[in-house]
Amino acid sequence: MKQICIVCGEEKRPNQLLKHKNAFLKDGYSICKDCANNLADFKDKESVIQVCQLTNLPYIERLVVDLVKSNDDVSFGLYMKRLAPFKRFETFRDSEFSEDGLNESMSKEFKVTNNIIQRWGDGYSQEEYAYFEAALKGLMAIKAATTSLELERYIQNVKLKDVLNKALHDGDFKAITQLRKSYNDDLKELGFDSVLNAKDDSGESLGQRIQKWETTKPVPDREEFEDASGIMKYILKWFIIPMRRNLGMADEKEVESLYDDTDDKQ
């Protein structure tokens, strides 16, 4: 669905729009990539900060400096791609305005060990390793892996999720559909299908949720549950109403019901 860019006022296709996090933009309005690239002059720090504020994306001084040093023509789109692996920085509130702030914050929070490198493989950034470990911990909290093979499947699932996140960030719509299906199918194979359809991360099966409901929630009090097998209508017709008729207590409607064979045919 096309949306209107709030900067240029033109209608743009989804692949022309930026993946912003500005919650104040209503449906139908966004920011196009061209306008973001034109507004963000990487020779002017303040202009980049303003675009980050507009899009509610973090400004990371270290990344900006590295991009300017290694590229002749830096765009805001390129900055977003370089920002993507740093999972801790989500919105403008997470910005780092000093060049050494990124290294300091990362070194205080997470250390890459040999065991971590062996688990995930070499070649990832410190932020990526931290994200992998956090995602794996989340899966283990829901359902702990009981074998080394199952743990390896968990690791593969986390990497698959990371690839899906990158495709979502880049707006690769063809890859998103296939990756999302693969990721959801993998979760089901690992036994997380109940989590996919749940409103929380409890991981309870349907039977467990029913048992919990029966022991903690009120028993439903509805008329159709009082005589589920319909026995009472036969007792009325063949015992109670005839007895009332013999005693002269049955009304005309009750007597007529004795000759109604609708219920007998059901």
Side-chain angles (χ1 to χ4, degrees), residues 66 83 104 114 253:
D66 286 346
L83 180 66
E104 288 179 358
N114 290 332
K253 185 177 180 181

Side-chain angles (χ1 to χ4, degrees), residues 223-238 263-264 266:
E223 185 177 347
E224 60 263 38
F225 296 144
E226 293 180 359
D227 185 21
S229 58
I231 294 175
M232 190 61 191
K233 64 183 178 182
Y234 293 106
I235 295 176
L236 280 171
K237 184 171 183 177
W238 301 111
D263 294 337
D264 298 336
Q266 290 181 349

Side-chain angles (χ1 to χ4, degrees), residues 77-110:
L78 179 59
Y79 171 74
M80 289 181 64
K81 288 182 179 180
R82 286 288 303 274
L83 180 66
F86 299 97
K87 309 297 182 182
R88 189 177 72 83
F89 302 102
E90 296 183 355
T91 65
F92 188 75
R93 296 179 64 180
D94 302 317
S95 297
E96 296 281 4
F97 296 99
S98 61
E99 190 172 343
D100 59 349
L102 181 61
N103 286 340
E104 288 179 358
S105 61
M106 287 195 310
S107 61
K108 290 179 180 178
E109 293 184 4
F110 186 80

